[in-house]
Amino acid sequence: MAAVVLAATRLLRGSGSWGCSRLRFGPPAYRRFSSGGAYPNIPLSSPLPGVPKPVFATVDGQEKFETKVTTLDNGLRVASQNKFGQFCTVGILINSGSRYEAKYLSGIAHFLEKLAFSSTARFDSKDEILLTLEKHGGICDCQTSRDTTMYAVSADSKGLDTVVALLADVVLQPRLTEVEMTRMAVQFELEDLNLRPDPEPLLTEMIHEAAYRENTVGLHRFCPTENVAKINREVLHSYLRNYYTPDRMVLAGVGVEHEHLVDCARKYLLGVQPAWGSAEAVDIDRSVAQYTGGIAKLERDMSNVSLGPTPIPELTHIMVGLESCSFLEEDFIPFAVLNMMMGGGGSFSAGGPGKGMFSRLYLNVLNRHHWMYNATSYHHSYEDTGLLCIHASADPRQVREMVEIITKEFILMGGTVDTVELERAKTQLTSMLMMNLESRPVIFEDVGRQVLATRSRKLPHELCTLIRNVKPEDVKRVASKMLRGKPAVAALGDLTDLPTYEHIQTALSSKDGRLPRTYRLFR
């Protein structure tokens, strides 16, 4: 050890054998520039003589970024976006989800999500499907939302033919023989939903139920417990017959050649007989979302929701929402900017220094009221409606004060909009949009959803222009319009001190957002 220390000391001081060698051989020789002996006196910042001028690849406008769309004879749309790289993301998006279950048992979309990529006409099990994808380095996933079902695969671009064939089989030829196993998976997920410390999925379900009472996007996204035992193969086939039709589908691909994708679609998705027969769809729900407003409450003991060395304290969770607009309307962009301006989040963010710290819910709520554990803004948007919500959490004894703080923030939305905060929100929104669109799966979902809804796609630079053009009066106008509607309220936890729905509605109709005074004879 002493020898090592001595050697290190000699090295640092320049003495000993290393120091002697340095003195013996003199100072090291340095080249003036790294271009070496061929061009000894030309710096890297200057072009080399006798070398042809390089020609760089250029993009003429935005033509390289455009999304190509082709409609097949059966109505199915094929959309693609080229992207450099070895891998591609391909999938089928369908106009199908819980909002279309009004005439069916609620929970079908939830079952179909769990049954996805199971046995089909060509594959005997999920393992066979995964092994087939593994040959091309592929992974698969299925997600359902209230209005869209998405089957997606990411794999090597060379396996595109195999991937499209597999997707066609999974979507149109499922055997649906694993219903009993799926029943268990759904039951487990429902139990997990009610036990998990994070209440956001449950609150989102409740706020939709309150805002759109028993219609379209207000229908249960998760299968109700009483329906788990009732859903069977016949029920699923009757639903699939009406909603899994080519005119309601988009085959989207990112990182693929458009013509190759179209050829694969014609080969595997044109003239295919689905497992449920070729009878025409006769019972399609074309209902438009009816916003009703209202309240959904769930009394629950939250004191032991998270045990352990650092248990989460008992909290009551409140979500208040108002109707915004659909993503097809011009006001969608101002609403997106407003949502970003409100921002917020947990009182301790893991997103790095300053993340969202200048949003209104941070500055006006979390920084001023230390007892508030969370204040976050959400914006849910669909093809015929939208919902802007604020979710807040606090100790059950301070529920009334928390609700009043939320209503005041809603009222302030319709007030003066500072130019600096607006520009910051627009920059944050643009930044978030562009960073998300660097990811291939996100581009795939964006392409698929836009083409499914509008038969075309707005490119990122077009969206950025729309964001830049939002003015303070636009935000004030959409907020004022929103505040004229009835609120939707979801409440979870100890609700002893929760104000009545009428009082919350009165506060949102007032000038300052204050709740009406309540007088008690005895305290």
Side-chain angles (χ1 to χ4, degrees):
M1 183 67 183
V4 174
V5 173
L6 180 62
T9 309
R10 284 176 176 171
L11 177 62
L12 290 171
R13 289 181 180 175
S15 59
S17 58
W18 291 285
C20 292
S21 65
R22 182 171 60 82
L23 293 171
R24 189 182 304 125
F25 297 114
Y30 292 104
R31 290 184 298 178
R32 288 190 64 191
F33 303 108
S34 61
S35 50
Y39 301 98
N41 298 316
I42 299 174
L44 290 175
S45 54
S46 303
L48 297 173
V51 176
K53 187 177 179 181
V55 179
F56 296 102
T58 58
V59 177
D60 183 15
Q62 295 290 333
E63 65 175 12
K64 299 295 181 188
F65 298 102
E66 69 177 345
T67 301
K68 295 178 180 178
V69 182
T70 300
T71 304
L72 302 186
D73 296 340
N74 61 356
L76 182 131
R77 281 153 282 171
V78 182
S80 75
Q81 175 82 51
N82 214 340
K83 183 177 170 64
F84 177 78
Q86 181 185 349
F87 281 77
C88 64
T89 299
V90 182
I92 295 176
L93 292 93
I94 308 165
N95 251 333
S96 160
S98 58
R99 72 169 291 164
Y100 300 106
E101 294 175 358
K103 299 175 183 178
Y104 296 87
L105 283 172
S106 192
I108 290 174
H110 193 185
F111 262 74
L112 289 173
E113 180 185 54
K114 300 299 172 201
L115 281 162
F117 294 99
S118 295
S119 62
T120 69
R122 283 177 53 223
F123 300 97
D124 290 331
S125 67
K126 187 165 192 167
D127 289 341
E128 274 194 42
I129 290 176
L130 296 177
L131 284 169
T132 302
L133 288 175
E134 205 172 275
K135 293 172 186 174
H136 301 283
I139 55 171
C140 60
D141 186 30
C142 176
Q143 294 177 8
T144 59
S145 62
R146 296 178 193 280
D147 56 356
T148 310
T149 300
M150 181 173 69
Y151 297 81
V153 171
S154 286
D156 192 301
S157 302
K158 293 174 185 174
L160 180 62
D161 205 272
T162 305
V163 166
V164 176
L166 187 147
L167 281 166
D169 214 44
V170 164
V171 173
L172 299 175
Q173 304 284 338
R175 287 184 184 168
L176 305 179
T177 52
E178 299 89 346
V179 174
E180 291 307 318
M181 288 293 291
T182 303
R183 232 185 280 285
M184 293 169 64
V186 168
Q187 188 66 51
F188 175 80
E189 191 167 339
L190 293 176
E191 290 172 9
D192 177 63
L193 187 69
N194 290 315
L195 291 173
R196 66 168 63 187
D198 174 26
E200 197 268 325
L202 188 57
L203 276 170
T204 303
E205 181 83 357
M206 291 168 67
I207 196 79
H208 279 84
E209 183 187 326
Y212 305 93
R213 187 71 65 180
E214 295 179 359
N215 78 88
T216 57
V217 293
L219 299 175
H220 295 287
R221 181 171 168 265
F222 299 102
C223 182
T225 308
E226 63 271 17
N227 287 354
V228 173
K230 297 176 184 176
I231 293 175
N232 55 34
R233 198 162 176 266
E234 289 69 36
V235 171
L236 295 171
H237 270 181
S238 68
Y239 177 86
L240 291 167
R241 190 173 295 113
N242 285 318
Y243 292 101
Y244 276 42
T245 54
D247 58 304
R248 300 177 68 86
M249 295 181 185
V250 169
L251 173 66
V254 175
V256 296
E257 290 294 334
H258 185 70
E259 292 309 318
H260 189 186
L261 187 63
V262 171
D263 289 342
C264 290
R266 288 200 175 104
K267 188 175 177 182
Y268 299 111
L269 289 161
L270 201 58
V272 178
Q273 173 88 352
W276 45 88
S278 56
E280 284 190 15
V282 292
D283 207 14
I284 298 170
D285 184 0
R286 292 189 172 88
S287 305
V288 176
Q290 301 297 315
Y291 181 85
T292 60
I295 187 166
K297 297 190 287 186
L298 184 57
E299 285 266 6
R300 178 176 290 175
D301 179 13
M302 306 286 280
S303 58
N304 60 352
V305 71
S306 176
L307 303 175
T310 53
I312 295 174
E314 182 180 2
L315 298 174
T316 294
H317 303 274
I318 306 293
M319 198 178 267
V320 179
L322 289 165
E323 187 179 23
S324 58
C325 72
S326 92
F327 56 68
L328 299 176
E329 296 178 46
E330 288 183 2
D331 285 343
F332 172 66
I333 298 295
F335 267 116
V337 172
L338 173 61
N339 179 55
M340 190 60 69
M341 197 167 74
M342 297 307 296
S347 48
F348 298 98
S349 171
K355 179 192 170 202
M357 293 301 282
F358 286 97
S359 62
R360 286 192 179 185
L361 292 178
Y362 255 112
L363 292 173
N364 302 344
V365 178
L366 294 171
N367 287 355
R368 293 184 184 180
H369 307 285
H370 65 90
W371 46 269
M372 292 273 284
Y373 278 79
N374 180 39
T376 314
S377 176
Y378 296 97
H379 188 214
H380 306 280
S381 199
Y382 306 96
E383 64 180 4
D384 51 4
T385 187
L387 194 63
L388 185 75
C389 319
I390 294 178
H391 168 209
S393 310
D395 188 279
R397 292 165 293 185
Q398 289 167 305
V399 169
R400 182 180 173 82
E401 195 176 348
M402 172 173 66
V403 171
E404 188 168 83
I405 288 166
I406 296 174
T407 54
K408 283 180 179 177
E409 285 305 313
F410 268 112
I411 296 299
L412 288 171
M413 287 183 195
T416 307
V417 179
D418 182 61
T419 309
V420 175
E421 72 169 343
L422 178 64
E423 288 304 316
R424 184 184 291 118
K426 285 156 65 174
T427 303
Q428 280 182 314
L429 183 59
T430 305
S431 168
M432 187 182 76
L433 174 74
M434 297 310 292
M435 283 194 289
N436 282 337
L437 288 174
E438 287 180 9
S439 165
R440 191 183 61 252
V442 174
I443 300 172
F444 157 76
E445 190 171 343
D446 182 51
V447 168
R449 285 182 181 276
Q450 285 202 51
V451 173
L452 194 63
T454 65
R455 298 181 178 272
S456 62
R457 181 189 179 220
K458 272 195 174 76
L459 296 175
H461 74 277
E462 296 177 76
L463 293 171
C464 290
T465 303
L466 292 171
I467 293 168
R468 279 196 300 272
N469 291 340
V470 173
K471 297 179 174 59
E473 50 268 29
D474 295 326
V475 175
K476 187 174 179 179
R477 174 177 52 79
V478 297
S480 301
K481 179 183 173 184
M482 178 180 70
L483 287 164
R484 291 197 287 270
K486 289 173 66 178
V489 181
L492 173 67
D494 181 350
L495 308 179
T496 309
D497 293 332
L498 179 70
T500 64
Y501 176 77
E502 290 72 25
H503 281 189
I504 297 172
Q505 190 172 359
T506 303
L508 288 168
S509 305
S510 66
K511 290 182 178 179
D512 56 5
R514 290 182 180 276
L515 290 165
R517 298 283 182 192
T518 55
Y519 299 97
R520 295 180 183 176
L521 192 59
F522 303 103
R523 287 189 177 273

